[in-house]
Amino acid sequence: MSSELIKYLSVIGTATWQTLVMVLFSTIFSLVLGFPLGIILCTSDPSSGLKPRKALNQVLSIIINILRAIPFVILVILLFPFTRVIVHTAIGTKASIVPLTIAAAPFVARVIESSLKEVEPGVIQAARSMGSTNKQIIFKVLIPEAMPSIISGITLTIINLIGYSAMAGTVGGGGLGDVAVRYGFHRYRVEYMFGSVAIILIMVEIIQVIGTKLSNKMQAQR
């Protein structure tokens, strides 16, 4: 095996690992932030929520809409000071997790909100007629019934994060995007560009297949 091939595999392998780390942790943290927000958005809806709170719903909606409207690359730059406070650096794999999380959390919130709102009102009314509390309706009725849609939404979130992680590489975030820019673009090494793109496509396909199978399985079990 030539030294050039060893270097290539090393660079691509390290970048792939960095991308996986960024996507994994940003997915976890965005779910931690976005899932409760989605529940609050659904339950506080002034027209159909379990506990309508118009002011709270509107404030959260405005904040989420603003965050979702900011292009990711600009969001990364805007969050440099905040990222330095959190992880003591603004570049690298660890630093990229912060803007990735903040970019994905509003998307997760909307996914959870729309999934919960898809549950048939009759199911909720039946649970309420049996004396269920709002908490019981949320965790024993809404979330289980909406799980196929939630899984599909989380799958889409992970796929978006893979794309975001590639963009993070253009501003010093590491990962496959960084390799594609530094080696493929600046050094005209097309093999690094194609290798990075191929691995990203494989990641997306694997995530989509797994997400679809899980969603279908949940749908069949309902």
Side-chain angles (χ1 to χ4, degrees):
M1 187 178 292
S2 67
S3 58
E4 188 62 32
L5 180 58
I6 292 173
K7 179 185 177 182
Y8 176 79
L9 293 176
S10 176
V11 170
I12 291 292
T14 300
T16 301
W17 173 251
Q18 290 173 343
T19 297
L20 289 173
V21 169
M22 284 190 284
V23 172
L24 173 62
F25 283 99
S26 57
T27 298
I28 293 172
F29 295 144
S30 64
L31 286 174
V32 170
L33 293 174
F35 211 106
L37 286 175
I39 293 174
I40 294 171
L41 283 169
C42 177
T43 57
S44 66
D45 189 288
S47 60
S48 60
L50 294 174
K51 195 172 183 180
R53 292 184 178 179
K54 185 176 181 180
L56 175 62
N57 188 273
Q58 288 180 340
V59 170
L60 284 179
S61 292
I62 290 171
I63 294 172
I64 287 171
N65 290 340
I66 290 172
L67 289 174
R68 289 184 64 189
I70 302 174
F72 179 70
V73 173
I74 296 176
L75 183 64
V76 172
I77 296 170
L78 289 175
L79 289 174
F80 273 167
F82 179 70
T83 302
R84 286 194 185 95
V85 172
I86 299 296
V87 296
H88 308 296
T89 180
I91 59 173
T93 302
K94 184 168 64 172
S96 295
I97 294 172
V98 176
L100 284 170
T101 298
I102 294 176
F107 184 82
V108 171
R110 287 301 187 192
V111 164
I112 301 302
E113 179 194 15
S114 62
S115 297
L116 296 180
K117 285 183 175 180
E118 289 175 4
V119 177
E120 289 292 332
V123 177
I124 301 172
Q125 291 171 3
R128 193 182 292 279
S129 67
M130 290 186 290
S132 299
T133 63
N134 286 342
K135 183 177 180 180
Q136 290 172 328
I137 291 174
I138 292 169
F139 291 101
K140 294 185 179 181
V141 178
L142 285 177
I143 293 177
E145 286 291 319
M147 193 54 68
S149 179
I150 290 173
I151 291 175
S152 295
I154 292 173
T155 300
L156 183 58
T157 301
I158 296 173
I159 291 173
N160 284 339
L161 281 170
I162 293 173
Y164 286 162
S165 70
M167 284 190 283
T170 64
V171 287
L176 292 166
D178 179 49
V179 169
V181 172
R182 282 198 298 123
Y183 290 87
F185 181 71
H186 291 302
R187 303 183 188 181
Y188 305 102
R189 301 292 298 273
V190 293
E191 67 272 22
Y192 286 93
M193 178 73 76
F194 289 149
S196 300
V197 172
I199 293 173
I200 288 173
L201 291 176
I202 291 170
M203 286 182 181
V204 169
E205 186 62 27
I206 291 173
I207 294 299
Q208 186 62 68
V209 169
I210 293 174
T212 301
K213 286 185 176 180
L214 285 175
S215 181
N216 291 339
K217 184 179 180 180
M218 289 289 183
Q219 186 70 40
Q221 292 176 347
R222 290 174 59 182

